Amino acid sequence: MKKLIFLLLLSAGVSAQSLDTPAFNFDRKSDLKYTDSLLRSTRKRISELDALPPSPRRDTVRFELSSFLSYVYRSGTHKTDSTYHIAAQLRTMAAKKGNIKYQLRAVIFLEYYFRVMKKDYVEAMKLNFEAQKLMTGSREEEERNLWRINNNLGKLTAVMKKFRESVGYYTKALETFALDKRAVPAQLAEIYQSAGLSYNQNGEFEKSLSSYKQALQIIKDNRGSNTNFAYLYVDVAMAEKELGHYKEALNSLNLSLQYWEKLKSKPGISTVYCEMARIYNHLDDYHESIRLADQALTLSEGLPVVRLKSYEVLAADYEALKRFDEALKYHKLFMTESEAERKASKTSEMLALQVEAEKEKLEIRLLQEKEIQEQKYITLQKQEEINRIRGLSERQNLLKTIQNNELRSLLNIQTLTAASQKKQTLQENTIKQLKINELKHQLASQAKNRNFLFSGLVFISLSGLVLVWLNYKLRHKNKQLSQKNAEVEAALEKGRTSERKRVATELHDNVNSILASVKMSLQVIQPQTVHENKVYENVIKMVDNATREVRQISHNMMPAELEKEGFDHALQGLVTRLNLGETTRFELSLNGFKNNFSSEITFNLYMICLELCQNIQKHTEAAKANIDFNCTDRQLIMSVSDNGKGFEKGNMSEGMGLKNIRHRAKSIGADLRIQSQQGEGTVVFVRLPLNQSNHA
């Protein structure tokens, strides 16, 4: 008896209770006490309902509570399996009761589970098409859920990197959003935010920024959560950075950082620091960039993308500061992390292909099912038409009898109405004449408008022709200027080459002749004492050394084999001459090298190589040295290395030779980098980016 009274009281409570569930606070989604309290209270209400006998009202409340329970698990905790089991249970219960509304809601929860939590995009695509089939025939559910399906399809096509198609789905979602009277502004903002991301990934940064700002305005107008603001300001900053608005981007990131700090979110704070570091790198503030990137790495646990970006920006910062050891360290970390990212990307691409194939299959199946439904509908229409025709035949027979009786009375009526018809005809003729006059007036007005439009088109066409002609003239002048610039550059290079030849010839012919004369004059002298003989021999040696130096300088200013036989033969000759000495053995390696560079580049590269080799002979005490040239379509890398005594970077002082080398590298647009360590030799890299202007 007590149990019966308890059940009656519960039943009365259920009939009175509302379907409304508590609003979920996204800012507290990581607060386990908050989410657990919601879950406990909802489970308690479900347990009370399960004790009651089945009824439509009980089933509806049960479905709503299960839906809310799945939503809390999805949004507030990491119990992904609980999300799946509750949504699957709701789907089964709603299907048994034929409740399309909650079937759809369960399918949408499951789609989120497979798409976001499990990354099973094929299953997510199947569930979206299942939702479309469930909506068929229910206008109310189609209006309520069509935007959700389009929004989900937009995210799935974005995974497949079909960003234009993705934007199309988001546009459809925005067009149908207003049909759902229960949708909230935060959901509308989320669609704009997703569309902004697709525009950004497609390189349409102006549209991306516009979408993000629309989302941000909606959140501001409706007092959105701190989480919404934190994510959106990061997105706005990314679009502003791509457009080169670095100050605005930093301002947006600072606003985002304030919200992440309120939420105490380490991943959010780490992301903001990383993006700030990248912007300061663009602004050439490398020390601030390094500080922020280090902070980002400190908080980047479980965030591979943040680590990858941080390593990349740190490598760039240290390289810009000429701290090549640190740059190399972070470059290696970046390459290791990016390799893992590339593997993940390949996996994502394979998944995207599978999703695309499944999408095509599901679209074909959906079209086939729609055609079957349409055929059934047409068949029913035909059957209704047959029944209607049968009914019409029976009614027509009855009407014939009635009409015969009515005709008799009509004959009498017609006689009476003949007079009134004459009056009516006269009135109709008058009305027709008025209409004809009005039409004539309209035709005249239209003819006038046509003439005006024709005149406007003629004016626009003439303006377009003038603009085309002016554009042609401008391009022709630009082409002439480019040709003249090329001629000036060629003349300058020819002048420099001629001047080098002239100076080399002067040194070889004149100075050498003078030194030879000096030596001949000295040889006439007959020293009398031992001391005079030593001085005499020393002077003769100095004259010989001066003669060799002048000959070497003359040769280096314009090596004959460089001009006649090409860069590679000149290098071979240089190595042969260097190996005549007994101290250091030089080896040359040319990989992918072609003699198709301008004379300025080949001359400067030759002189850099010569200066480096002479430094090795003079200072390094090396037994072996290597000269390597590696050439690709994009760059030429020259490296000169030795196994000599090396030096510490802090003890390196730049003499005139090293300054000349840096100047020559800079003059041809090349980068110079030196690596050395005490006792382990020295390596000098010269990297020259290649383009059309580098070639002869």
Side-chain angles (χ1 to χ4, degrees), residues 274-303:
C274 177
E275 296 303 335
M276 281 182 165
R278 297 177 75 194
I279 291 172
Y280 277 110
N281 175 269
H282 282 289
L283 294 173
D284 296 336
D285 191 347
Y286 303 116
H287 294 288
E288 183 64 9
S289 178
I290 290 169
R291 185 184 70 81
L292 290 165
D294 285 336
Q295 287 182 302
L297 284 174
T298 304
L299 303 171
S300 66
E301 184 177 355
L303 300 171

Side-chain angles (χ1 to χ4, degrees), residues 46-259:
I46 290 173
S47 298
E48 292 171 355
L49 285 170
D50 289 340
L52 296 174
S55 70
R57 177 67 181 176
R58 189 211 77 157
D59 293 339
T60 302
V61 176
R62 178 70 164 80
F63 293 157
E64 185 65 30
L65 292 174
S66 295
S67 175
F68 180 72
L69 197 62
S70 182
Y71 182 80
V72 174
Y73 272 121
R74 185 192 83 175
S75 304
T77 71
H78 300 292
K79 297 178 181 178
T80 56
D81 291 339
S82 297
T83 304
Y84 169 79
H85 290 307
I86 293 168
Q89 187 183 34
L90 175 61
R91 180 190 191 184
T92 303
M93 291 189 299
K96 286 181 180 179
K97 300 295 181 179
N99 192 314
I100 295 175
K101 173 182 174 181
Y102 287 99
Q103 273 183 270
L104 268 168
R105 196 175 291 185
V107 168
I108 290 170
F109 280 131
L110 289 169
E111 187 275 344
Y112 180 91
Y113 168 80
F114 283 106
R115 172 170 53 82
V116 177
M117 299 178 176
K118 289 295 183 182
K119 310 298 182 187
D120 188 346
Y121 303 120
V122 174
E123 187 61 28
M125 186 66 75
K126 289 179 181 178
L127 288 164
N128 273 301
F129 279 90
E130 181 181 343
Q132 288 187 52
K133 285 195 288 185
L134 285 170
M135 288 191 304
T136 304
S138 175
R139 184 176 180 82
E140 180 184 356
E141 292 306 321
E142 184 173 357
E143 289 177 350
R144 184 180 296 167
N145 292 289
L146 187 57
W147 73 268
R148 290 183 172 89
I149 304 303
N150 283 316
N151 188 34
N152 293 340
L153 289 171
K155 291 173 180 176
L156 283 169
T157 47
V159 169
M160 295 186 287
K161 301 189 184 304
K162 295 191 172 184
F163 302 116
R164 292 304 305 162
E165 187 176 345
S166 173
V167 169
Y169 280 119
Y170 291 134
T171 303
K172 290 179 183 177
L174 291 171
E175 290 170 353
T176 55
F177 184 86
L179 298 174
D180 184 5
K181 305 303 180 186
R182 298 184 64 182
V184 296
Q187 292 169 322
L188 180 61
E190 192 264 343
I191 299 172
Y192 277 114
Q193 187 177 10
S194 299
L197 180 60
S198 288
Y199 277 127
N200 190 290
Q201 291 173 322
N202 201 42
E204 297 175 86
F205 303 118
E206 290 284 357
K207 292 182 179 179
S208 173
L209 183 59
S210 176
S211 290
Y212 287 145
K213 285 187 174 179
Q214 284 177 291
L216 190 59
Q217 191 59 50
I218 292 168
I219 295 299
K220 286 180 179 177
D221 293 342
N222 295 276
R223 297 182 180 179
S225 66
N226 289 337
T227 305
N228 294 140
F229 281 112
Y231 278 115
L232 270 169
Y233 275 120
V234 170
D235 291 337
V236 168
M238 294 304 93
E240 288 170 337
K241 187 197 79 167
E242 294 296 342
L243 291 169
H245 304 162
Y246 297 122
K247 290 184 179 179
E248 293 85 345
L250 285 172
N251 184 49
S252 298
L253 286 171
N254 279 316
L255 291 170
S256 176
L257 183 61
Q258 292 173 17
Y259 287 105

Side-chain angles (χ1 to χ4, degrees), residues 333-351:
L333 290 170
F334 168 74
M335 294 303 294
T336 303
E337 199 76 19
S338 61
E339 183 62 29
E341 189 68 20
R342 277 196 294 272
K343 290 179 181 178
S345 178
K346 287 181 181 178
T347 304
S348 299
E349 288 174 2
M350 292 297 295
L351 285 173

Side-chain angles (χ1 to χ4, degrees), residues 34 41 53 78 81 114 275 385 453 455 503 609 671 680 686:
Y34 168 70
S41 62
H78 300 292
D81 291 339
F114 283 106
E275 296 303 335
E385 184 66 19
L453 287 172
S455 301
V503 174
C609 183
D671 299 326
E680 295 187 8
V686 178

Side-chain angles (χ1 to χ4, degrees), residues 361-396:
K361 289 180 185 177
L362 292 168
E363 285 176 342
I364 292 169
R365 193 181 303 164
L366 186 63
L367 285 172
Q368 289 173 344
E369 290 179 0
K370 283 184 177 179
E371 287 176 359
I372 292 169
Q373 291 294 330
E374 287 174 359
Q375 288 297 325
K376 288 181 180 178
Y377 179 72
I378 290 168
T379 303
L380 289 172
Q381 281 184 324
K382 288 181 178 178
Q383 187 62 45
E384 287 180 2
E385 184 66 19
I386 291 168
N387 294 334
R388 187 182 67 79
I389 291 170
R390 286 176 181 170
L392 283 172
S393 178
E394 292 173 358
R395 285 197 297 273
Q396 283 174 354

